[in-house]
């Protein structure tokens, strides 16, 4: 061991809150008790520091125990280990789970990871029988199995959180099926829409996001356990049995792929990045809409913060942080893609770096989904401000052009030109299109009659857009009904 190792002892990353506490100071010992057979000296303190993952992979404890229990059951059923040892292993693993959940488990960095911490403790609790648990498996298939199980749970939680957000959006959409607001392209007033219609756009995005979760879960349904280090095993194991016991559809077909594959994690991170991007766009809109200049909505006190200097401020910090966290979720995807891209098959220790980005991404996604549902559920809508803005920026100009086409049989390009002149006249008079007199309109196109003024009203404009999926209140109400059937 090199000098000064005490000062250089590794401490590993601090475990996340609510996760079991990892040990910080490995006790010096001769060699590693799990694999030290061929070594004379203990690892350097820095080796322990860079190698230990228990500071974060302690989050896999429940999955690790579940997978070990399924493996031990299978070993007994196949006659590979004695039933009496199997029973001791089951009881020991149950006690370890208790110890961890009650904060009584001592995590040790010198035992590297969650897998070896649990196995070493099992030895302390049940003695020699513990040594039989690792028959016909390796940490490589073990970690791949545990991580798949964790990702599966995280995806199921995200799906439930997305559903809750959809429910909040659908409820607001129903209340606002007839709330007129400006619709934007290029963030310029384009055509009036209804606020309910706008919110339902996010319900669709989240619906596709949830579809991606389903797809990912389907591919995740293959179990690596029993792949061994990479080549399979000479013991007569039953991979179907352990796969089924853990809720997988089937065992992974190729043992080399089983321990090498992390594309389930990449796929989960990809879909998380897409969800986060959707949330970020909604967050950006909440920031814009809640500004004094727009004042379309007011975020609740519960989801706003004040300024320590400017007493008038109500800052949309939660929305801003949802917008920002999409950066770190996308960052996690890029980090893991970069870790994986040059790895020759099969397992390499690089792959231990798969966990922290993924844990962080799913923690971030969860708080973003829940905070967004909270903001949507609580926000106040200023219907008058929205309606007032809907008439600004000549947002109903397209209605007039369509009227000229429909009623005067004008080609659309001519109607577009005529309407452009009407818009110019309104600008000259500094008024809205629906404030122009019939005389002003007729000065541009003499065949325009009073009925044309009707279409300039934003309320009439939205009501007319009753095509399937359109913004008319009748359509929005129908979309609300369909969305509830499809998603809730
Ligand atoms: N902690 C390791 C990881 O997360 C477990 C697998 C270790 N395998 C090995 N051959 N060293 O990837």
């Amino acid at each position: 061991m090199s000098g000064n190792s005490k000062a250089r002892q590794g401490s590993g990353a601090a475990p996340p809150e609510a996760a079991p506490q990892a040990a910080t100071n490995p006790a010096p010992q001769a060699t590693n008790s799990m694999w030290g057979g061929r070594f004379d000296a203990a690892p350097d303190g820095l080796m322990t520091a860079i190698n230990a993952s228990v500071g974060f992979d302690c989050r896999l404890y429940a999955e690790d125990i579940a997978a070990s229990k399924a493996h031990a059951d299978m070993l007994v059923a196949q006659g590979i280990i004695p039933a009496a040892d199997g029973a001791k292993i089951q009881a020991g693993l149950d006690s370890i789970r208790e110890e961890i959940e009650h904060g009584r488990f001592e995590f040790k960095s010198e035992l590297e990871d969650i897998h070896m911490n649990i196995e070493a403790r099992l030895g302390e609790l049940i003695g020699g029988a513990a040594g039989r648990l690792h028959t016909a498996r390796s940490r490589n298939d073990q970690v791949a199995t545990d991580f798949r199980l964790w990702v599966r749970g995280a995806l199921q939680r995200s799906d439930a959180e997305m559903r809750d957000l959809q429910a909040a959006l659908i409820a607001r959409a129903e209340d606002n099926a007839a709330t007129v607001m400006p619709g934007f392209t290029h963030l310029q007033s384009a055509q009036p829409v209804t606020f309910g219609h706008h919110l339902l756009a996010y319900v669709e995005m989240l619906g596709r996001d949830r579809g991606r979760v389903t797809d990912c879960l389907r591919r995740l349904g293959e179990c690596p356990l029993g792949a061994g280090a990479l080549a399979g095993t000479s013991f007569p194991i039953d991979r179907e049995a352990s796969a089924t016991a853990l809720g997988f559809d089937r065992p992974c077909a190729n043992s080399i792929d089983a321990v090498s594959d992390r594309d389930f994690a990449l796929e989960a991170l990809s879909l998380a990045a897409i969800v986060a991007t959707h949330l970020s766009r909604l967050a950006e809109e909440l920031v814009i809409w809640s500004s004094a200049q727009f004042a379309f909505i007011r975020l609740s006190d519960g989801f706003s913060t004040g300024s320590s200097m400017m007493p008038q401020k109500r800052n949309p910090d939660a929305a801003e942080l949802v917008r920002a966290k999409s950066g770190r979720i996308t960052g996690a995807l890029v980090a893991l893609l970069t870790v994986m891209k040059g790895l020759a098959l099969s397992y390499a220790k690089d792959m231990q770096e798969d966990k922290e980005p993924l844990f962080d991404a799913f923690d971030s996604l969860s708080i973003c989904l829940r905070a967004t549902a909270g903001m949507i559920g609580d926000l106040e809508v200023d219907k008058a401000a929205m309606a007032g803005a809907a008439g600004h920026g000549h947002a109903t100009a397209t209605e007039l052009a369509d009227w000229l086409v429909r009623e005067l049989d004008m080609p659309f390009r001519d109607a577009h030109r005529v309407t452009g002149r009407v818009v110019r006249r309104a600008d000259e008079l500094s008024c809205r299109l629906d404030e122009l007199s019939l005389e002003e309109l007729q000065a541009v196109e003499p065949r325009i009659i009073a009925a044309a003024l009707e279409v300039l009203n934003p309320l009439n404009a939205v009501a007319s857009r009753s095509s399937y999926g359109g913004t008319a209140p009748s359509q929005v109400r129908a979309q609300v009904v369909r969305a509830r059937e499809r998603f809730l």
Side-chain angles (χ1 to χ4, degrees):
M1 184 188 286
S2 56
N4 200 20
S5 70
K6 187 120 208 210
R8 290 157 52 190
Q9 290 285 23
S11 61
E17 251 172 36
Q21 205 58 36
T24 49
N25 268 320
Q29 61 172 65
T31 64
N32 184 290
S33 63
M34 308 303 278
W35 46 248
R38 61 157 300 168
F39 290 84
D40 294 326
D44 189 277
L46 282 174
M47 179 64 212
T48 303
I50 194 169
N51 203 29
S53 55
V54 70
F56 51 88
D57 67 18
C58 54
R59 291 183 68 169
L60 298 176
Y61 81 90
E63 290 76 10
D64 194 69
I65 288 172
S68 286
K69 287 173 69 84
H71 184 66
D73 272 342
M74 181 278 293
L75 292 175
V76 170
Q78 295 298 103
I80 299 170
I81 66 170
D85 286 349
K88 284 187 198 161
I89 289 171
Q90 297 295 340
L93 289 170
D94 288 338
S95 326
I96 291 172
R97 196 186 162 113
E98 288 270 298
E99 287 180 2
I100 294 175
E101 287 174 355
H102 292 93
R104 297 198 309 265
F105 190 95
E106 195 197 336
F107 291 94
K108 295 177 181 152
S109 299
E110 71 272 21
L111 288 170
E112 288 184 27
D113 55 26
I114 185 64
H115 323 291
M116 295 207 294
N117 269 269
I118 289 177
E119 201 187 319
R121 178 65 183 144
L122 189 63
E124 288 169 12
L125 290 175
I126 67 166
R132 299 198 188 275
L133 173 60
H134 215 52
T135 313
R137 80 170 185 192
S138 145
R139 269 189 297 155
N140 296 351
D141 56 337
Q142 195 180 353
V143 73
T145 305
D146 295 359
F147 199 34
R148 276 185 183 241
L149 289 171
W150 196 94
V151 171
R152 185 173 76 188
L155 288 173
Q156 287 163 344
R157 279 191 295 280
S158 300
D159 186 67
E161 289 162 355
M162 285 191 249
R163 184 188 176 283
D164 289 347
L165 175 54
Q166 284 181 308
L169 288 163
I170 291 170
R172 295 324 295 255
E174 187 170 41
D175 298 344
N176 290 283
T179 304
V180 177
M181 69 178 274
F184 301 95
T185 60
H186 314 266
L187 198 57
Q188 307 284 322
S189 287
Q191 293 178 333
V193 295
T194 48
F195 187 46
H197 189 218
H198 193 110
L199 293 178
L200 288 176
Y202 287 100
V203 172
E204 293 299 319
M205 294 179 222
L206 289 161
R208 290 191 295 277
D209 292 333
R210 291 179 65 194
R212 277 181 275 273
V213 169
T214 307
D215 295 343
C216 184
L217 283 171
R218 193 160 39 79
R219 275 183 289 278
L220 200 60
E222 297 188 341
C223 182
L225 197 57
L230 77 162
T233 175
S234 56
F235 291 97
I237 60 170
D238 181 351
R239 292 195 54 205
E240 292 281 349
S242 44
T244 307
L246 292 169
F248 289 103
D249 299 326
R250 67 190 82 86
C252 298
N254 178 302
S255 63
I256 296 177
D257 177 51
V259 298
S260 307
D261 164 39
R262 290 294 180 273
D263 55 52
F264 63 88
L266 291 172
E267 199 172 341
L269 285 172
S270 309
L271 75 85
I274 297 174
V275 181
T277 301
H278 289 156
L279 297 183
S280 181
R281 296 183 73 173
L282 176 53
E284 165 68 359
E285 299 202 303
L286 294 176
V287 170
I288 293 173
W289 294 338
S290 63
S291 68
Q293 289 68 26
F294 272 73
F296 288 181
I297 60 164
R298 184 177 163 94
L299 293 170
S300 69
D301 285 0
F303 287 99
S304 305
T305 57
S307 156
S308 52
M309 187 201 156
M310 297 164 283
Q312 84 283 10
K313 290 291 286 273
R314 283 175 71 77
N315 292 329
D317 289 28
E320 292 168 275
L321 288 164
V322 168
R323 190 173 59 187
K325 282 182 196 293
S326 64
R328 69 197 258 188
I329 295 172
T330 301
L333 169 62
V334 174
L336 187 55
L337 283 167
T338 311
V339 166
M340 296 305 297
K341 77 169 201 41
L343 297 186
L345 304 187
S346 59
Y347 177 84
K349 197 59 173 268
D350 308 52
M351 288 156 75
Q352 179 165 283
E353 290 286 313
D354 56 3
K355 293 171 202 67
E356 283 171 291
L358 187 127
F359 290 155
D360 184 70
F362 277 88
D363 289 345
S364 300
L365 185 62
S366 173
I367 188 84
C368 289
L369 283 166
R370 289 178 294 134
T372 305
M375 286 188 281
I376 295 294
D378 280 7
L379 62 79
E380 274 172 44
V381 179
D382 189 334
K383 296 187 181 187
M386 284 190 182
H392 285 148
H394 310 313
T396 52
T398 316
E399 312 313 310
L400 180 59
D402 287 351
W403 186 91
L404 295 168
V405 170
R406 222 174 27 242
E407 304 298 327
L408 304 184
D409 200 23
M410 252 186 212
F412 183 77
R413 283 288 154 234
D414 297 342
H416 188 286
R417 205 170 317 108
V418 168
T419 308
R421 287 206 292 274
V422 172
V423 165
R424 189 143 122 201
R425 187 67 190 133
D427 276 345
E428 282 162 11
L429 299 172
S430 304
C431 72
R432 294 164 33 152
L433 283 186
D434 59 354
E435 290 164 352
L436 285 172
S437 65
L438 186 58
E439 293 67 43
E440 290 289 353
L441 294 173
Q442 287 173 339
V444 178
E445 167 53 61
R447 288 177 294 162
I448 293 179
I449 55 169
L453 287 170
E454 293 292 300
V455 304
L456 295 176
N457 177 325
L459 253 170
N460 295 336
V462 295
S464 72
R465 304 224 181 271
S466 58
S467 53
Y468 181 88
T471 205
S474 58
Q475 265 304 321
V476 173
R477 288 190 191 99
Q479 286 175 46
V480 163
V481 171
R482 285 199 296 273
R484 285 211 169 100
E485 283 164 12
R486 288 159 65 209
F487 302 124
L488 303 186

